[in-house]
Amino acid sequence: FDHSGLDALLRKFVKGDRVEYAALKADRAGLDAYVDRLAKLSKEEYDKLSREEQMALWINAYNALTLRSIVDAYPIQAGIKLNTYPRNSIRQIDDVWEKKHPVAGRQISLNDIEHRILRPIWRDSRLHYALNCAAIGCPNLQPWAFAGVGLDHAPDLAAMAYVENPRGMRLEDGELWVSSLYIWYIDDFGGDDRGVLDHLRKYAGPDLARRLAGVNSLGGDGYD
């Protein structure tokens, strides 16, 4: 499956920790074409892909469908849930995670892709660094599409970047603050504080790993 169209638009519209949604909406042909190709992919064609290619396809599909959901609603200013969430939040889009999309011969939602396909089948905690949450608190959307070749290395880079970023974790007066992602999905990170700490040490740089050596438990958590 050719992901070059998605790769090109991600390189064009993803700038550091931000996505240029207004520009993407004005130049959305590439995004629509890629989503259309996902819809036209048959189950028979999907079944011929390798396990790595299938994983890459679902990650890219999730990210592309998230982008299009936002672009379709952009600018997000309706007062649907304005008293609960800030303006311009993905959470103001009705049923954004449950809406069905045609992919590989089936009707499937973002929640289906994440919680019924990727997490239970691949059981890889690094998926949380690869999927686009469309929130400031989540790992950055990578400025390239995932591919079957080199797939094992790509999520490592995203994991290391997030762990080294204060949005992922930080030490304050000896207490470890972590992203709520590690609490919400603690079962994916070892099931307890020790498992999360082992995961963080694995992807931390040398200096941060040394500072984590004496930490035995998680402190607070948060998410923007």
Side-chain angles (χ1 to χ4, degrees):
F1 192 85
D2 182 11
H3 300 287
S4 61
L6 178 64
D7 188 80
L9 72 90
L10 290 174
R11 292 180 187 276
K12 183 175 182 180
F13 297 109
V14 177
K15 305 297 182 183
D17 61 357
R18 294 290 188 275
V19 177
E20 296 183 346
Y21 289 114
L24 178 57
K25 185 179 181 71
D27 185 13
R28 59 178 295 169
L31 177 60
D32 290 336
Y34 181 79
V35 172
D36 186 56
R37 291 194 65 248
L38 291 173
K40 291 179 178 177
L41 178 69
S42 69
K43 184 180 183 302
E44 291 72 24
E45 291 171 318
Y46 171 81
D47 289 340
K48 293 178 182 179
L49 299 176
S50 69
R51 181 176 174 83
E52 292 77 14
E53 289 170 329
Q54 289 178 354
M55 183 179 181
L57 183 136
W58 287 119
I59 292 172
N60 290 334
Y62 186 98
N63 291 341
L65 291 170
T66 298
L67 287 174
R68 194 165 82 160
S69 296
I70 295 174
V71 165
D72 284 344
Y74 192 88
I76 304 168
Q77 296 179 346
I80 302 170
K81 302 173 183 176
L82 200 55
N83 293 328
T84 307
Y85 305 116
R87 294 169 68 89
N88 299 325
S89 168
I90 187 176
R91 301 180 78 170
Q92 287 179 255
I93 304 174
D94 282 343
D95 300 321
V96 64
W97 290 290
E98 293 296 344
K99 180 182 177 180
K100 299 294 185 179
H101 308 270
V103 180
R106 67 195 83 179
Q107 292 290 324
I108 203 154
S109 70
L110 293 176
N111 272 345
D112 291 332
I113 295 174
E114 180 176 9
H115 304 301
R116 298 180 181 90
I117 297 177
L118 283 170
R119 290 179 61 223
I121 294 177
W122 276 273
R123 297 181 178 276
D124 190 333
S125 61
R126 298 174 304 163
L127 286 167
H128 295 289
Y129 305 110
L131 299 178
N132 173 25
C133 310
I136 293 173
C138 73
N140 289 347
L141 173 62
Q142 298 306 303
W144 30 260
F146 288 85
V149 177
L151 180 62
D152 193 55
H153 181 58
D156 283 339
L157 298 176
M160 288 185 284
Y162 190 60
V163 169
E164 287 283 340
N165 190 296
R167 293 176 313 181
M169 59 149 288
R170 63 178 182 267
L171 284 164
E172 295 181 349
D173 299 323
E175 184 175 61
L176 178 62
W177 179 98
V178 298
S179 165
S180 297
L181 285 175
Y182 298 114
I183 306 302
W184 297 334
Y185 300 106
I186 196 167
D187 288 344
D188 295 354
F189 296 100
D192 54 21
D193 284 16
R194 180 177 178 179
V196 174
L197 285 166
D198 287 344
H199 177 89
L200 296 174
R201 292 186 184 109
K202 178 179 179 180
Y203 292 104
D207 180 63
L208 184 56
R210 283 193 295 271
R211 296 175 62 202
L212 287 172
V215 178
N216 299 311
S217 62
L218 304 180
D221 69 282
Y223 188 82
D224 186 345

